[in-house]
Amino acid sequence: MAALLILALLGAGCVSETPVIPPEESHGEVGIMYTAAGQMPVLLSTGQIDGYMVWQPFVSVATASGIGKVVSYSQDLPPAGTWTDHTCCALSGREDFIKANTDVVNAIAALLILSGNYIQENPDRTAEISANWLFGGADMTFGAVTISSNDVLKGSIPTIRFSSVPSTEWLQSNDRFIEALRDIGYLTGSLKDAPSEDVREMLYDFSNYEAARAMVDAGEIKTPQKLTKPLSLGYLPSDHDAPLFVAIKDWEYFNEKFGIALKPRVNVPGKVDVADLIVNGVMVAEVKLVQGEGGAQLMTLMATDALQMAYAGTPPTISAIDKGTAIKILFPTQNEGSGLVVAASAPVTDWDSFIVWIDARSAEGTPLKIAAPIRGSIQDVQIKYALQDSGVVVKEV
């Protein structure tokens, strides 16, 4: 079961323009190949790849198991400062649902803000909850290597920036993604030719975040009217969704301290399928928790009203809006959280020595092979951007 869940961990990110490097600054060559995130540690441990660029917890898998080591976390990749606070996961909602149930959306937003804050103060508890939700607390096996899922998550959680603030850097990261999608012809709908001053209005509605933030700051959550039918909330099986897992598994803490909770209908280990949204002691909504296989799948479910809200990456949400799905990004829930890993035996300690290794391997006629997830994902673009900025020739293999 753990192996299946590992392979199911999916995500999506943004793409951006790649810099043009003067020939006199050129270095060696790197091949980029695409594969599922769950396969990357096995490929690295068996020497089929030299490294990989991926989201957590697979960066932590490498370090916890001894398979590999981190060259750079995503926010520190060159050019310096480019990826600070970069986009990843966000809460989104159908426009019709938001309009009809504003107070419920505000309450859920407030809870996720609070649980994001909780993670910063309780990383070990968050790791324990996430390991149990995602893997049932079981060990993770990659070829001949077996490691504790709890140890992996303890290494992963501190490297993810759990933030609900729609910062300037976060917005600019999404702007870069949109421009890149235009350049490669992936946008064909409403965002394709929209003026830049209109794009943000088409993508975002921060009013629920602002209302939720005001309630959190005031220490009083408004009790919504009870929904007449269940709310379906989609999410992905990734530790990037830890604020949702924490809010549900530690519901008693949030209920007692803040008067709001997502109480599981059934107290079971691992993931939860149904929870009750309770505000000030009143059950206001039945929340069905729908685990998706990827952000694009969740967006398809939102388009058909099978989901009313979703916890997923901003890139698939942006693509869905471009195609005409009437949804809005409400606020970020998590930023950063990816990294570049190489084999433990590699003669590399940082980005500069990584470039030296690239040159040496290219001179030998055996260019490095680096795995990345989906083509056009944030991880794919970040590694290509960084390599080309350093004068490395990048080829897809």
Side-chain angles (χ1 to χ4, degrees):
M1 178 62 69
L4 291 175
L5 286 171
I6 290 165
L7 291 174
L9 287 176
L10 296 171
C14 76
V15 294
S16 183
E17 297 178 80
T18 52
V20 176
I21 308 300
E24 62 269 22
E25 297 180 18
S26 63
H27 285 275
E29 175 185 317
V30 166
I32 301 293
M33 63 170 285
Y34 300 108
T35 187
Q39 295 177 353
M40 292 181 187
V42 174
L43 294 174
L44 186 64
S45 66
T46 55
Q48 297 179 68
I49 57 175
D50 300 293
Y52 58 78
M53 178 74 193
V54 76
W55 51 78
Q56 290 284 26
F58 295 107
V59 178
S60 182
V61 164
T63 56
S65 65
I67 291 172
K69 54 188 173 182
V70 177
V71 176
S72 176
Y73 286 101
S74 53
Q75 64 270 22
D76 300 320
L77 286 169
T82 299
W83 301 109
T84 301
D85 204 20
H86 69 75
T87 188
C88 198
C89 292
L91 184 69
S92 60
R94 284 179 57 92
E95 292 184 29
D96 54 358
F97 182 81
I98 296 168
K99 183 177 180 180
N101 305 281
T102 300
D103 288 345
V104 169
V105 177
N106 292 348
I108 292 174
L111 180 57
L112 289 177
I113 291 171
L114 291 167
S115 61
N117 294 341
Y118 176 91
I119 288 175
Q120 297 175 32
E121 299 174 1
N122 301 276
D124 286 350
R125 173 59 178 160
T126 301
E128 178 186 358
I129 289 172
S130 299
N132 276 281
W133 188 295
L134 297 172
F135 309 110
D139 289 342
M140 304 167 71
T141 299
F142 298 92
V145 178
T146 299
I147 50 177
S148 160
S149 60
N150 194 44
D151 288 346
V152 168
L153 272 297
K154 280 186 177 180
S156 172
I157 293 296
T159 71
I160 304 170
R161 187 168 184 270
F162 293 98
S163 173
S164 58
V165 180
S167 67
T168 298
E169 292 84 359
W170 178 79
L171 288 166
Q172 289 174 343
S173 182
N174 287 324
D175 291 344
R176 289 196 299 271
F177 170 65
I178 292 166
E179 288 304 316
L181 286 184
R182 286 173 171 168
D183 289 344
I184 60 179
Y186 278 19
L187 291 182
T188 58
S190 61
L191 296 175
K192 179 182 178 182
D193 299 311
S196 57
E197 60 270 19
D198 294 343
V199 168
R200 290 188 178 182
E201 184 176 349
M202 297 167 68
L203 293 178
Y204 312 115
D205 181 353
F206 297 138
S207 61
N208 302 101
Y209 166 77
E210 292 164 355
R213 175 62 67 183
M215 291 193 295
V216 168
D217 292 344
E220 184 176 355
I221 310 299
K222 180 180 178 180
T223 305
Q225 289 188 343
K226 186 174 181 178
L227 293 186
T228 57
K229 60 181 182 179
L231 156 65
S232 292
L233 171 63
Y235 72 95
L236 298 175
S238 165
D239 58 353
H240 288 187
D241 290 22
L244 180 63
F245 307 155
V246 165
I248 295 169
K249 289 297 185 177
D250 274 356
W251 71 270
E252 292 174 306
Y253 166 82
F254 293 98
N255 190 48
E256 293 173 7
K257 189 173 180 64
F258 304 109
I260 185 170
L262 273 173
K263 179 183 177 181
R265 281 278 176 94
V266 181
N267 186 19
V268 294
K271 71 175 185 176
V272 172
D273 295 325
V274 183
D276 291 328
L277 177 63
I278 300 173
V279 183
N280 301 318
V282 179
M283 198 284 276
V284 299
E286 175 184 331
V287 181
K288 294 184 176 180
L289 301 155
V290 180
Q291 178 177 295
E293 297 179 355
Q297 180 200 29
L298 294 182
M299 294 304 109
T300 299
L301 292 174
M302 289 192 79
T304 61
D305 201 21
L307 296 177
Q308 289 73 55
M309 301 183 72
Y311 197 126
T314 53
T317 311
I318 290 170
S319 295
I321 293 171
D322 175 63
K323 293 178 175 64
T325 305
I327 56 178
K328 293 290 188 185
I329 297 171
L330 304 181
F331 59 92
T333 52
Q334 167 270 326
N335 306 322
E336 303 179 349
S338 297
L340 171 62
V341 169
V342 294
S345 60
V348 174
T349 56
D350 55 17
W351 183 260
D352 289 342
S353 57
F354 179 59
I355 297 299
V356 171
W357 190 36
I358 289 172
D359 290 346
R361 286 284 298 271
S362 295
E364 295 169 2
T366 56
L368 295 184
K369 183 183 293 185
I370 304 297
I374 306 165
R375 186 176 187 272
S377 65
I378 182 68
Q379 296 78 17
D380 176 40
V381 172
Q382 285 175 327
I383 186 61
K384 287 177 178 176
Y385 198 117
L387 288 169
Q388 292 185 27
D389 179 75
S390 297
V392 175
V393 176
V394 178
K395 294 184 178 180
E396 294 183 3
V397 296

